Amino acid sequence: MQILSSQFSDRAALTQYLQAQFNDLLPKTHRQASPIDGSNPTAQFIDQQIQPAAYARTRNFYQGAVSQLSPFVRQGMIERRHLANIALAKVGAKAAEKFIQELLWGEFWQHVADQRPDALWEDAEPYKTGFEAYTYKDTLPEDILRAETPNACINHFIQDLTVTGYLHNHARMYLAAYVVHFRRVRWQAGAAWFLEHLLDGDIAANNFSWQWVASTFGGKPYIFNLENVAKYCGDVVDCRPETNPELDATYEALHLRLFKRATS
Amino acid sequence: MTTTCVWLQEEWLSASLIAELCPAGATLIYIFDETWLAQRRYSLKRIQFIYEALLDLPEAVEIYRGEPSEILHARRQNKTEQRYLTFKPRDPELRQRVLDIAHAHDVEHMTPPPWIPVQSQSFKRFFKFYNVVKRHALDEASRDKS
């Protein structure tokens, strides 16, 4: 048993202290602090971050008007209900609906987790990829852990995840699909990896979203191609074909390559 | 007067919730649970984020690293607190662990009120869930707005 300090001269001193105190529990790749501060966000900051109308238009874009408040929601510092109220007060029910819908996804996943706690780490359904679960690798390849895959955009997303602890939702889906379908790794390995790093890492939303991408909690596997990444992230992420060779293909070609044994 | 110790949980670090549900004058403690941290392999990013949230709470929090069972047992031996409380986690795995420890150490648990009332119906797909709860969510939000 150990009592920890509450007095620090600045954030860097806190980081240094925690690195020393938790050194034995932290894998080598996990010892960086996030640039995102866990101090309670001000009411003004929260208000600024909620732009429901812009959210409805731009949420799928990497630079879109997402609130980025999810880490504070995960820690219970802000209630989803409170965010819904702000959105409603700003623009009314119709224009706030997409934003509130997104908040309700979190409630939905929690509902599913409470109903199916057995499926948090087990396949809820078989894969619809044409491959049996046992054919997927159990662990993440080193090049993924090191952000050294053959694809620049994937490496960019991995860096965001491991350096900041925050990742845009669309990038989470790209990364999950890359891990499960392009590299044929079990979704459980990727889900655990996300929970290690994401400041908003919530097992219900995280694991069932991975299952949805994998097709073990949904009707078909989710995949993407480079053209799609370029459309939503091309202004900030390297989406050149020559630096993303595995992803530069049509959906038809990818389906043939990734799911060639699929029956549907 | 009954003295109370509240064992905070990582999903409920809300100053307003603590003020609302915890007895005035309660001692607040937080435990970085070694077993839990090893199981989930939390990065420093996550640990520091939680730590900063704890430091920013208006009431001082005694922060520990160790096994919750040992720490609660030691407090029972050495302190004069008569009542122990904790929050029921949302994470099913953390909930199981916390409730097991709470049961073994006579710690009562509090359940913060949910935004969406618990549904007896089981939903497999989001939009079926959404169609049922949408009205409540928007109505509730409307009520709070006024």
Side-chain angles (χ1 to χ4, degrees):
Chain A
M1 177 171 89
Q2 188 181 354
I3 299 178
L4 301 175
S5 177
S6 298
Q7 300 293 325
F8 303 95
S9 55
D10 54 25
R11 194 163 190 257
L14 169 62
T15 303
Q16 204 171 18
Y17 176 78
L18 294 177
Q19 283 167 336
Q21 295 301 322
F22 291 91
N23 186 49
D24 58 319
L25 286 170
L26 294 168
K28 277 183 188 167
T29 52
H30 290 45
R31 293 178 185 166
Q32 282 177 292
S34 168
I36 302 169
D37 193 314
S39 304
N40 213 20
T42 63
Q44 186 187 7
F45 177 75
I46 294 169
D47 190 74
Q48 283 169 357
Q49 294 300 105
I50 298 175
Q51 303 295 337
Y55 175 85
R57 288 193 314 274
T58 67
R59 66 189 181 283
N60 289 328
F61 291 88
Y62 209 54
Q63 301 279 63
V66 296
S67 75
Q68 300 190 29
L69 294 172
S70 51
F72 303 100
V73 172
R74 166 61 175 77
Q75 254 40 89
M77 300 159 75
I78 309 173
E79 288 185 59
R80 289 193 181 101
R81 182 204 326 245
H82 179 57
L83 301 182
N85 287 336
I86 294 172
L88 205 70
K90 279 191 170 186
V91 297
K94 194 174 176 190
E97 187 170 358
K98 273 290 168 203
F99 182 80
I100 292 173
Q101 203 175 77
E102 192 61 35
L103 296 172
L104 287 169
W105 269 102
E107 299 293 319
F108 170 67
W109 292 128
Q110 184 65 42
H111 168 80
V112 175
D114 288 336
Q115 297 280 327
R116 296 280 317 265
D118 58 302
L120 282 168
W121 291 108
E122 299 294 326
D123 298 346
E125 302 160 9
Y127 282 85
K128 286 89 182 176
T129 57
F131 295 100
E132 298 291 336
Y134 71 85
T135 65
Y136 289 76
K137 291 186 274 292
D138 287 331
T139 55
L140 291 169
E142 277 296 312
D143 67 313
I144 291 180
L145 293 171
R146 293 179 181 168
E148 293 173 356
T149 76
N151 308 292
C153 72
I154 294 296
N155 297 337
H156 186 115
F157 300 143
I158 295 170
Q159 286 283 349
D160 272 2
L161 170 71
T162 58
V163 172
T164 70
Y166 180 82
L167 195 58
H168 186 286
N169 188 55
H170 215 157
R172 295 181 196 206
M173 291 165 61
Y174 293 145
L175 211 42
Y178 179 73
V179 167
V180 177
H181 301 310
F182 288 77
R183 304 297 297 273
R184 211 161 294 150
V185 177
R186 295 175 79 217
W187 65 263
Q188 289 90 337
W193 179 49
F194 269 25
L195 287 178
E196 291 165 17
H197 290 287
L198 285 173
L199 300 179
D200 61 13
D202 166 280
I203 191 171
N206 182 67
N207 288 27
F208 285 113
S209 296
W210 273 85
Q211 293 223 50
W212 181 81
V213 167
S215 75
T216 57
F217 193 77
K220 60 181 182 181
Y222 167 81
I223 58 164
F224 67 96
N225 66 8
L226 187 60
E227 187 183 2
N228 189 273
V229 182
K231 177 180 174 184
Y232 291 107
C233 313
D235 50 347
V236 279
V237 175
D238 179 354
C239 292
R240 291 171 296 158
E242 61 270 30
T243 53
N244 293 278
E246 289 181 298
L247 315 177
D248 183 25
T250 64
Y251 280 108
E252 290 75 14
L254 286 175
H255 271 276
L256 281 172
R257 193 207 310 167
L258 302 176
F259 312 125
K260 60 188 174 186
R261 290 166 54 198
T263 52
S264 57
Chain B
M1 192 176 107
T2 304
T3 54
T4 305
C5 175
V6 178
W7 173 26
L8 299 177
Q9 300 300 334
E10 64 180 51
E11 293 170 309
W12 300 114
L13 302 180
S14 156
S16 58
L17 190 72
I18 291 167
E20 185 185 336
L21 295 184
C22 299
T27 301
L28 305 180
I29 68 167
Y30 185 87
I31 303 169
F32 281 97
D33 176 346
E34 290 176 347
T35 299
W36 178 250
L37 292 177
Q39 180 184 328
R40 282 285 170 92
R41 287 168 45 101
Y42 274 9
S43 61
L44 186 77
K45 295 184 289 294
R46 295 203 71 170
I47 292 171
Q48 179 157 343
F49 193 85
I50 293 168
Y51 214 101
E52 286 170 332
L54 292 167
L55 295 179
D56 209 36
L57 285 171
E59 305 294 331
V61 182
E62 292 178 25
I63 306 174
Y64 296 87
R65 179 202 147 158
E67 290 297 329
S69 286
E70 290 173 16
I71 292 165
L72 292 168
H73 179 73
R75 283 191 78 90
R76 287 274 192 202
Q77 299 287 311
N78 303 324
K79 302 273 181 174
T80 56
E81 290 137 355
Q82 295 156 311
R83 189 180 180 210
Y84 280 71
L85 296 171
T86 193
F87 291 96
K88 186 177 175 183
R90 284 165 60 95
D91 180 319
E93 292 182 337
L94 183 58
R95 185 193 309 152
Q96 188 63 52
R97 177 163 173 76
V98 166
L99 294 185
D100 285 349
I101 295 168
H103 180 71
H105 293 275
D106 195 20
V107 178
E108 301 164 47
H109 62 265
M110 302 176 282
T111 305
W115 176 24
I116 304 299
V118 178
Q119 302 292 320
S120 53
Q121 204 177 337
S122 179
F123 299 97
K124 195 176 169 190
R125 301 293 183 235
F126 173 72
F127 281 99
K128 289 190 175 171
F129 171 81
Y130 181 64
N131 288 333
V132 171
V133 305
K134 173 184 170 182
R135 186 166 180 173
H136 171 86
L138 294 175
D139 284 354
E140 175 108 356
S142 299
R143 265 206 309 277
D144 282 5
K145 188 176 63 169
S146 60

